Structures are given as C-alpha cells and as structure tokens.
C-alpha cells in the first residue's frame, strides 16, 4: 500500500517492499479510470464490455468506490460474474444485504457484502491480477489519498467504497480507510502514474442532479411492474424509514449520500480540470438513482451507449499514439 507520491509500496501481508506499479506498467498505452457513483456504477460494466468488443483493452486500471469494485473484478477476470450478480439484484435482495448496525461507525456493517466480494475475488493478491490496478481510498485521520496496489484485493476494494457514515471504515496496515471519492472521485492521476499514455475516464456524476437523488422507501423496496412483481412486499420498518426517509422528508442515509454526491461532483470537476483525461465517457443515467442497484440492466445499457459515442475518439487517439511511436 502506498500513499500518493511514495516511491515504494509495502505489501500488507508479507511486509516486503514491492516494485513500483509504474515499473510493472512500463510501456502501457491505455489506462481506464472508473469513477464513483453508487448504483450508477453498473454503467462501468457496459463501458468495459463495449470497449472489449471493439478490441480496446486497458493495460492499466484505477478505480474509486464502485469504480474500484468493477475495475477490480475486471482485472481479476470476474466481470461476467459481477454482471450476473448485478442483473440478479431485486429490491428484496438488496435489502437482505443491508446488515444494519446501530452501534458501530457506520449504519451498515458491510459483512454480507464482504462475503460476496470475497466469493468473487477470493484471496487474490494484486500480483495475481491480469494488469496493474490501483484502488483509491482515503485515510480517515489525515485525509491523505491512499493508493492500494499490493496485498489482498478484497479489503482494498471494500476500503474504496466505505462511504462515510454508511459503511464502517476498513483497517489496512494500521490505517483506517474510507471511500476514495472523498479525495479522488475519478482517478485519472493514478492511471497516468501507472504509465498510461492514453487515459479514458468514466464519469458518473453528470446526471447527479437530474435523477432521483432523494427516493421514497416505496420506490426502494416496493414493486413497480414486472421487475419486482413476483416478490412479496417488504414491511416498512422504522429502521428503513429512518435510513431512506418517507414521502415528506429524506432519511438519514439519503441525506448523507446526496450531500456526499454533491461534494464529490464538485471535486471531480476540479480534479478533471487540473488533470483531464484524454477521453471522457459520460453515461446518461437520469432514471437511475443512487440507491437503484436493481436497475443494473438500464445502467449497463447506458454504459454501452456512452462508450459507443466516444469509440471514434479513442481509435483516433490510438492512431496518433502509434504514429508518434513510428508504428
């Protein structure tokens, strides 16, 4: 694990000094940076699928929050399994994964999600992945941006999506880590540090204020047509109302996530202005709210469409790189 600008990384398991990821990625051409965005992050799956179908494969990857989850599964060769899981989510299934905790440092302990993640990537180490991959997290006590790129993959991904106040922080190497979107929502800089000459980013924040940011519980757990019509309705417990709110006011989790999303959007604009990607993919997800994890099919389709719009730009950029290299 290494902080930004650190020359050497320390393997969290062995304690040995590992080579810099930049050295392992020498000669890399394409870097893909997947940004944060809660349920809209399923769009990343569609983007990566469409790029792959077009013969465009990343040499290095970096991800923040749900972007870390998707890019980590891609680097581990588990994108198909993640897609199958996402498409199988229903509102009842989502609620069953929310292991509420009223005594810890987050409303959701995250143990059930941890078990699912470990089922996907097992005990994989970063060195087992198909390509160099950086997971962005934030050190809770100092606010430092942490680049996780050594040791076990699953805890790094969990740390990257540990939304403050919602999920418990994750301890790695004696540091308490929270969501990387606090400091770097779209990790273009990490891809460049890994040696990418062409950086493609996926920005999920463009529709942050056109979609259903504040949602009522009935929209979260009820049944709306065919998608959830075969499921019995869930009881609206007081805990659920406290988390997601009701018809007249937003709940605690909705307020936390919406406020976080606003600051994340502003930070992403600032960071992208200072270090812009070569190609920016912007999925259009106006109907996918931050908690709409059961709308994976719609989000994946939006990702594919967004990738289609920029494929000519990526192909042109690659042609120019080849020409500059004399190929």
């Amino acid at each position: 694990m290494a902080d930004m600008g650190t020359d050497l990384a320390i393997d969290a398991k062995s304690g040995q000094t590992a080579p810099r990821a930049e050295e392992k990625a020498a000669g890399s051409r394409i870097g893909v940076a997947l940004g944060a965005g809660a349920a809209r992050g399923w769009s990343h799956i569609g983007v990566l699928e469409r790029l792959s179908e077009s013969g465009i494969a990343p040499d290095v990857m970096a991800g923040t929050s749900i972007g870390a989850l998707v890019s980590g599964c891609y680097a581990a060769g588990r994108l198909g399994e993640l897609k199958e899981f996402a498409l199988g989510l229903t509102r009842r299934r989502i609620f069953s994964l929310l292991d509420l905790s009223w005594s810890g440092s987050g409303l959701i302990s995250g143990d059930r999600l941890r078990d699912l993640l470990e089922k996907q990537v097992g005990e994989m180490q970063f060195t087992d992945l198909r390509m160099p991959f950086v997971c962005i997290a934030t050190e809770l006590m100092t606010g430092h941006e942490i680049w996780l790129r050594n040791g076990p993959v699953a805890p790094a991904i969990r740390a990257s999506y540990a939304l403050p106040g919602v999920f418990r922080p994750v301890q790695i190497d004696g540091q308490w880590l929270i969501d990387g979107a606090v400091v770097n929502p779209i990790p273009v800089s990490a891809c460049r540090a890994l040696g990418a000459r062409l950086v493609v980013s996926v920005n999920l924040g463009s529709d942050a204020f056109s979609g259903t940011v504040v949602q009522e519980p009935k929209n979260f757990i009820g049944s709306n047509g065919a998608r959830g019509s075969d499921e019995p309705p869930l009881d609206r417990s007081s805990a659920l109302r406290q988390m997601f709110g009701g018809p007249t006011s937003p709940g605690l989790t909705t307020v936390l996530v919406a406020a976080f999303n606003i600051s994340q959007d502003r930070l992403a604009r600032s960071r992208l202005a200072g270090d812009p990607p070569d190609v920016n993919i912007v999925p259009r997800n106006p109907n996918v709210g931050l908690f709409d994890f059961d709308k994976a099919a719609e989000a994946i389709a939006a990702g594919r469409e967004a990738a289609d719009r920029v494929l000519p730009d990526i192909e042109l950029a690659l042609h120019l790189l080849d020409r500059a290299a004399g190929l």
Side-chain angles (χ1 to χ4, degrees):
M1 182 178 68
D3 196 358
M4 192 165 117
T6 303
D7 286 339
L8 296 175
I10 305 299
D11 188 301
K13 185 174 181 180
S14 68
Q16 298 298 311
T17 300
R20 294 182 65 181
E22 294 88 333
E23 295 173 1
K24 290 192 268 186
S28 299
R29 288 204 309 163
I30 305 174
V32 175
L34 301 186
R40 297 185 178 107
W42 295 141
S43 294
H44 292 318
I45 297 174
V47 169
L48 293 173
E49 283 185 336
R50 191 67 190 93
L51 293 180
S52 178
E53 292 167 1
S54 302
I56 300 170
D59 298 296
V60 300
M61 298 193 76
T64 297
S65 200
I66 194 167
L69 172 63
V70 177
S71 53
C73 287
Y74 180 90
R78 300 287 193 273
L79 188 65
E81 290 84 347
L82 180 64
K83 178 182 179 180
E84 182 179 358
F85 165 75
L87 291 174
L89 285 175
T90 62
R91 291 179 175 88
R92 174 171 287 279
R93 175 63 171 151
I94 295 168
F95 186 62
S96 72
L97 293 172
L98 302 181
D99 40 1
L100 303 182
S101 172
W102 304 106
S103 59
S105 50
L107 290 176
I108 301 171
S109 69
D111 293 340
R112 296 172 189 169
L113 293 174
R114 178 199 61 202
D115 293 343
L116 283 173
L117 179 59
E118 291 178 349
K119 181 179 179 181
Q120 290 296 328
V121 301
E123 297 182 357
M124 271 193 172
Q125 306 285 307
F126 277 83
T127 52
D128 298 325
L129 300 178
R130 301 184 300 172
M131 65 196 67
F133 164 55
V134 170
C135 218
I136 308 300
T138 305
E139 208 282 309
L140 179 62
M141 304 309 294
T142 64
H144 289 169
E145 179 176 333
I146 304 296
W147 291 8
L148 300 164
R149 49 186 176 176
N150 289 280
V153 175
I157 293 175
R158 287 174 48 228
S160 188
Y161 69 63
L163 186 68
V166 177
F167 290 105
R168 293 174 179 171
V170 176
Q171 189 175 43
I172 298 179
D173 270 2
Q175 295 177 304
W176 286 104
L177 305 179
I178 59 173
D179 200 316
V182 172
V183 291
N184 194 352
I186 308 171
V188 172
S189 54
C191 283
R192 295 207 189 281
L194 288 175
R197 299 185 63 200
L198 170 68
V199 177
V200 178
S201 69
V202 183
N203 182 359
L204 303 174
S206 64
D207 291 324
F209 307 106
S210 60
T212 53
V213 174
V214 177
Q215 302 171 27
E216 300 176 19
K218 67 180 181 181
N219 293 328
F220 183 71
I221 63 170
S223 122
N224 60 347
R227 179 61 182 159
S229 59
D230 59 338
E231 301 176 30
L234 292 173
D235 292 331
R236 295 185 185 180
S237 65
S238 59
L240 188 65
R241 286 194 297 272
Q242 182 174 346
M243 287 182 67
F244 296 101
T248 59
S249 64
L252 175 59
T253 302
T254 298
V255 171
L256 285 173
V257 175
F260 183 75
N261 196 55
I262 294 169
S263 61
Q264 171 191 306
D265 175 69
R266 296 299 189 267
L267 176 60
R269 296 185 196 190
S270 175
R271 292 206 60 150
L272 291 181
D275 188 10
D278 299 291
V279 179
N280 190 30
I281 299 177
V282 184
R284 295 167 183 167
N285 281 309
N287 298 316
V288 180
L290 297 174
F291 298 124
D292 286 340
F293 288 96
D294 59 313
K295 293 184 177 180
E298 183 175 343
I300 291 171
R304 293 180 63 87
E305 293 170 3
D308 272 330
R309 290 193 295 270
V310 302
L311 279 176
D313 297 331
I314 298 175
E315 291 167 355
L316 175 60
L318 290 173
H319 172 72
L320 293 175
L321 282 178
D322 288 343
R323 191 169 69 179
L327 300 179

